[in-house]
Amino acid sequence: MRRLVAETTLEPRQLILPMFIREGAREPIAISSMPGVYQHTRDTARKAVAEAASLGLGGVMLFGVPSSKDEVGSGALDPDGILNVAIRDAVSEAGDDLLVMSDLCLDEFTSHGHCGVLDSAGRVDNDATLAVYAEMGLAHATAGAHVVGPSGMMDGQVGAIRTALDGAGFQDTVILAYAAKYASAFFGPFREAVDSSLKGDRKTYQQDPSNAREAIREVDLDLEEGADMVMVKPALPYLDIIRQVRDHVNVPVAAYNVSGEYAMVEAAAANGWIDRERAILETLTSIRRAGADTILTYWAAEAVSLLQRR
Ligand code: PBG
C-alpha cells in the first residue's frame, strides 16, 4: 500500500554525481572529511563516469584540482588544464549516455581561493571576473561539456556566459545556474576536496542564510539572463527555498546536497549513531519532496543500489 500511494519518487536519472579530478594524481586520494569520496586520477575518473552511465545516473558534475594555482586562475582557461582535460575524458567515455556537467568557477584555480579575480584593493572584481567566466565557458564547451554550471555567484555571470557561448556557435550548451547559493558552513569539507587556499569568506558574493526573497530575485535574474535550469545550494538547510523556487519558476530546479550534509551523515553513521543507508535515502527523498527535480549528491552511485534493494 505504501508503494502504491507514495507521493515522491527517487530515481537514478534524477541524480548527478559530483566528481573531483586531481592533476597529476597516480592513485586516487581519499578526502578525509568526506569518507568514501576521492580525488580521482584521470583513469579512475573515466571508470567512475562509465559506472555512472551504466547505473543510469542523469549526469556527472566535474571539478578540477590543479597542481598549481595563480592570482588569475589561468589553469581554468588552459585547454590542457585539468578540468578541460577531464571534460574531454568524460565525454569520450560516456558519449551521450549521461550529461557531462562542469563547475564553471575560479576558486579551484586561484591562489587566493576566491571565485573571481581580485582588484588592486584585494576585493573580488565582479565585472572583470565575468570576462574570465565567458572564456571558461568557451573552454568547457569546446572540451565537449553538455552543461556548464556557473557557481561563482557573480552578478551577470549567466548573461556573460550565454552571450559568449551563442557567439561561438554553442547554442546547445546548457547553463545550470547556481542561482541561490548561500555563504554556508556546510561547504567545509569541499574546501579539503579541492585543496582550497581560501582565507576569509565569500560573503560579498554568496547569499545571507537569513534571506529567502533574495533567492527568488537571484533566480529571476538568472532566468532573464538565459539560465536553462536553476540550482539551490546547500539543500538540507534550505528546503524551504527549494520549495519556494519550485513554485515560482517553470524550469527544472536542481538542489546540491553538499559536502557538509554528506559528512554529517557519514560521521554519525561511523559512530553508530544513525542508520546510514536509511539516512541517505531519507535525505534524498526529503530534497525531492521539497521540490527539487534533480539532486547533486556524493551518494548518487550508492543510492542506485540502495533503491534497487528497497
Ligand atoms: C565553488 C563551489 C563550492 C562548492 C561547489 N562549487 C564551494 C564554495 O562555494 O565555497 C561546494 C560543494 C560542496 O560543499 O559539496 N566552485
Side-chain angles (χ1 to χ4, degrees), residues 103 107 151 181 187 190-191 202 206 233 258-259 298:
D103 183 58
D107 65 316
S151 66
K181 180 174 176 183
F187 302 152
F190 178 92
R191 305 270 160 90
R202 305 199 197 288
Q206 297 182 347
K233 175 183 179 183
V258 301
S259 57
Y298 301 98

Side-chain angles (χ1 to χ4, degrees), residues 83-164:
L83 180 51
N84 296 317
V85 166
I87 293 168
R88 289 202 293 274
D89 286 348
V91 170
S92 80
E93 193 67 43
D96 288 334
D97 292 344
L98 54 61
L99 291 167
V100 174
M101 310 185 177
S102 57
D103 183 58
L104 203 169
C105 191
L106 285 177
D107 65 316
E108 290 93 357
F109 297 93
T110 51
S111 45
H112 44 76
H114 273 295
C115 294
V117 292
L118 306 183
D119 65 15
S120 52
R123 290 172 307 203
V124 174
D125 187 334
N126 187 97
D127 293 4
T129 301
L130 297 185
V132 186
Y133 282 180
E135 291 296 318
M136 197 173 175
L138 291 178
H140 290 188
T142 304
H146 303 116
V147 179
V148 295
S151 66
M153 287 299 277
M154 298 299 135
D155 293 336
Q157 61 184 12
V158 172
I161 294 163
R162 185 73 270 161
T163 303

Side-chain angles (χ1 to χ4, degrees), residues 89-273:
D89 286 348
V91 170
S92 80
E93 193 67 43
D96 288 334
D97 292 344
L98 54 61
L99 291 167
V100 174
M101 310 185 177
S102 57
D103 183 58
L104 203 169
C105 191
L106 285 177
D107 65 316
E108 290 93 357
F109 297 93
T110 51
S111 45
H112 44 76
H114 273 295
C115 294
V117 292
L118 306 183
D119 65 15
S120 52
R123 290 172 307 203
V124 174
D125 187 334
N126 187 97
D127 293 4
T129 301
L130 297 185
V132 186
Y133 282 180
E135 291 296 318
M136 197 173 175
L138 291 178
H140 290 188
T142 304
H146 303 116
V147 179
V148 295
S151 66
M153 287 299 277
M154 298 299 135
D155 293 336
Q157 61 184 12
V158 172
I161 294 163
R162 185 73 270 161
T163 303
L165 290 173
D166 288 353
F170 292 113
Q171 284 88 352
D172 292 339
T173 306
V174 167
I175 299 181
L176 166 56
Y178 286 61
K181 180 174 176 183
Y182 287 86
S184 173
F186 292 91
F187 302 152
F190 178 92
R191 305 270 160 90
E192 179 193 347
V194 298
D195 291 350
S196 172
S197 29
L198 180 71
K199 293 182 197 71
D201 59 54
R202 305 199 197 288
K203 287 181 185 165
T204 63
Y205 44 103
Q206 297 182 347
Q207 280 184 238
D208 182 341
S210 59
N211 291 1
R213 284 192 300 267
E214 187 184 22
I216 302 298
R217 178 171 145 75
E218 290 282 356
V219 165
D220 282 341
L221 287 168
D222 281 1
L223 289 175
E224 273 168 38
E225 290 174 31
D228 301 288
M229 306 188 276
V230 292
M231 190 196 299
V232 175
K233 175 183 179 183
L236 289 183
Y238 300 93
L239 293 176
D240 58 324
I241 308 295
I242 296 172
R243 168 50 56 197
Q244 288 184 46
V245 170
R246 176 61 288 161
D247 289 346
H248 181 73
V249 302
N250 290 310
V251 295
V253 174
Y256 201 140
N257 174 219
V258 301
S259 57
E261 300 168 34
Y262 176 89
M264 285 195 299
V265 171
E266 293 293 341
N271 277 294
W273 295 339

